[in-house]
Amino acid sequence: MSPSLSSPRIAIIGAGIIGLSCAWELAKRGAHVTLFDSGFYPGRGASWAAAGMLAPAYEAAAEPGANPRLFDLCLKSAGQWTDMSGAIAALTKRDVLHSIGPSLAVAQTAEDRIHLAGLAEALNARKIPFDVLSPGEAVQAEPCLHAGNKGALRLPTDGQVDNRLLVEALIRALERQDQVAFVTGTAPLALVQGKIVLAGFDRVIFAAGWETASVRVGDTTLGDIAPMLRKIEPVAGHMLAFNRLPDGPEMTVRSGALYIVPKAGRLIVGATVEPGETSTRIDSDAINRLEAAAHALCPMLKRATIIEAWRGIRPGTPDHAPMIGALGGTGAFVAAGHYRNGILLAPITAQIMADSVLDGKTSDLASAFSPARFAAATA
């Protein structure tokens, strides 16, 4: 960013949790920000469909095929959540119900035990604290669990935030700031001598989730201009919510791909993993399978009633990690592809983006998530 621009004007394409968080950080640093979103209401895509887990250990410490720096990124962002949730609450008087943790990772099968052993090894190597629980100790920690479980890990690093309260609070916080505006519809972007431009703005940030590559820029698409963005793949996922029971569960419980996350008045259960799917239409069989899996992990949930079911679309990448940074020589920036960690990675993504866009600064950690890492594969 040129030092002559004392009050830069930034356009953000996409108003999900990543776009909203980037706007929040940029506005704090003095930028004028306009968020463009073609949806019927900001934040109602993957951000609304999520479970709000802040799970650096379970999601990234030993995830096969993950970017080797993803755990570092997730852990650093998790540490920023207390400040971010506190600042939002102070401005809006809205509690986003941020909980530091712990969460419980439970083994139900021999395969699960192998996975938890690998997770424990990875956490030990980083000197990250956790507790190994026997099957009986797991039930003592969370009485909802099936007595036939095969043990668990208690993960103090892994907490949660209520993502729906968060989205609403961030929108309210941004609406209170004179230098932030929301525009419903598409931005009239143009490609001029290889540069992506938008009249009236100094910089453009693309944060459109799984649809980032399909954003129109003049007569072409962003994916044609920056082919590495085609690596962002839609990954649909079914989820459901039970009514909250007075006797639990009280903490987030995870087993394999299944999770049960207690919220105020509801229990979130997820999620299926459906690569390449872009439909949000609900498949009743998928919901039935999720319900049965939840009952098997926590039998007491047979007394609960499904109060909501939905299907969201995550933005996946080959290394399960986001693309954050400059888009080659286009003059534009991207923050997309956060897969299952969009809520968790919102604070650190916003920091990296503001550092890069406003000050031209980066770091070794940020560089590990540059979209350029996929450029060779798409050249």
Side-chain angles (χ1 to χ4, degrees), residues 58-70:
Y58 196 88
E59 288 289 343
E63 181 73 7
N67 186 302
R69 299 301 305 277
L70 181 60

Side-chain angles (χ1 to χ4, degrees), residues 27-99:
K28 281 199 306 181
R29 301 194 195 187
H32 289 260
V33 183
T34 299
L35 293 122
F36 293 83
D37 196 283
S38 57
F40 67 92
Y41 193 75
R44 292 304 176 99
S47 306
W48 194 260
M53 291 179 293
L54 310 176
Y58 196 88
E59 288 289 343
E63 181 73 7
N67 186 302
R69 299 301 305 277
L70 181 60
F71 182 44
D72 298 319
L73 190 74
C74 288
L75 201 62
K76 187 170 183 178
S77 196
Q80 296 176 343
W81 256 106
T82 297
D83 286 345
M84 184 168 179
S85 61
I88 293 170
L91 183 62
T92 65
K93 304 299 185 286
R94 294 184 178 214
D95 187 356
V96 298
L97 301 180
H98 170 229
S99 171

Side-chain angles (χ1 to χ4, degrees), residues 18-19 22 205-209 212 322-325 333-338 349 353:
I18 298 302
C22 288
I205 297 171
F206 293 95
T212 297
M323 299 186 199
I324 311 172
F333 296 80
V334 66
H338 290 71
T349 299
M353 192 55 54

Side-chain angles (χ1 to χ4, degrees), residues 61-362:
E63 181 73 7
N67 186 302
R69 299 301 305 277
L70 181 60
F71 182 44
D72 298 319
L73 190 74
C74 288
L75 201 62
K76 187 170 183 178
S77 196
Q80 296 176 343
W81 256 106
T82 297
D83 286 345
M84 184 168 179
S85 61
I88 293 170
L91 183 62
T92 65
K93 304 299 185 286
R94 294 184 178 214
D95 187 356
V96 298
L97 301 180
H98 170 229
S99 171
I100 295 174
S103 294
L104 206 61
V106 182
Q108 297 186 90
T109 65
E111 184 180 359
D112 290 343
R113 291 182 68 177
I114 293 171
H115 172 71
L116 292 191
L119 176 55
E121 182 179 356
L123 294 175
N124 274 325
R126 298 293 191 93
K127 296 182 170 55
I128 304 297
F130 65 94
D131 300 311
V132 179
L133 305 182
S134 68
E137 290 170 335
V139 173
Q140 287 182 340
E142 183 47 82
C144 83
L145 290 176
H146 191 287
N149 76 83
K150 299 183 183 300
L153 300 182
R154 183 163 45 206
L155 306 172
T157 55
D158 289 15
Q160 64 155 307
V161 65
D162 191 308
N163 50 293
R164 295 185 178 182
L165 294 180
L166 169 66
V167 166
E168 293 286 4
L170 263 177
I171 292 171
R172 297 290 85 80
L174 291 169
E175 287 177 338
R176 292 186 179 191
Q177 302 187 55
D178 292 338
Q179 73 268 37
V180 178
F182 288 86
V183 174
T184 300
T186 58
L189 297 158
L191 188 65
V192 179
Q193 296 181 342
K195 301 291 185 181
I196 296 171
V197 297
L198 181 58
F201 293 91
D202 302 301
R203 290 290 185 271
V204 178
I205 297 171
F206 293 95
W210 70 272
E211 296 177 288
T212 297
S214 63
V215 172
R216 298 297 304 181
V217 180
D219 296 329
T220 187
T221 66
L222 188 59
D224 290 330
I225 298 166
M228 75 283 288
L229 296 180
R230 297 176 188 159
K231 291 289 185 178
I232 300 175
E233 178 187 32
V235 184
H238 282 81
M239 300 173 66
L240 63 86
F242 289 119
N243 64 301
R244 185 78 181 264
L245 300 177
D247 50 349
E250 295 298 326
M251 71 174 77
T252 297
V253 179
R254 310 198 62 169
S255 183
L258 179 71
Y259 50 76
I260 301 170
V261 188
K263 306 288 185 185
R266 58 197 174 109
L267 293 167
I268 306 299
V269 177
T272 62
V273 179
E274 304 162 43
E277 292 293 332
T278 60
S279 173
T280 56
R281 184 176 179 178
I282 296 171
D283 180 342
S284 59
D285 288 340
I287 295 299
N288 290 339
R289 289 191 294 271
L290 268 182
E291 182 182 24
H295 291 169
L297 181 59
C298 292
M300 49 100 64
L301 292 180
K302 293 176 182 178
R303 294 188 278 109
T305 301
I306 295 177
I307 58 175
E308 186 182 359
W310 63 96
R311 191 184 194 188
I313 306 172
R314 319 169 186 90
T317 63
D319 62 358
H320 310 312
M323 299 186 199
I324 311 172
L327 274 179
T330 66
F333 296 80
V334 66
H338 290 71
Y339 191 34
R340 296 185 304 219
N341 293 307
I343 306 297
L344 168 59
L345 291 174
I348 191 67
T349 299
Q351 177 193 314
I352 291 171
M353 192 55 54
D355 287 346
S356 182
V357 172
L358 298 180
D359 303 321
K361 296 180 180 178
T362 189

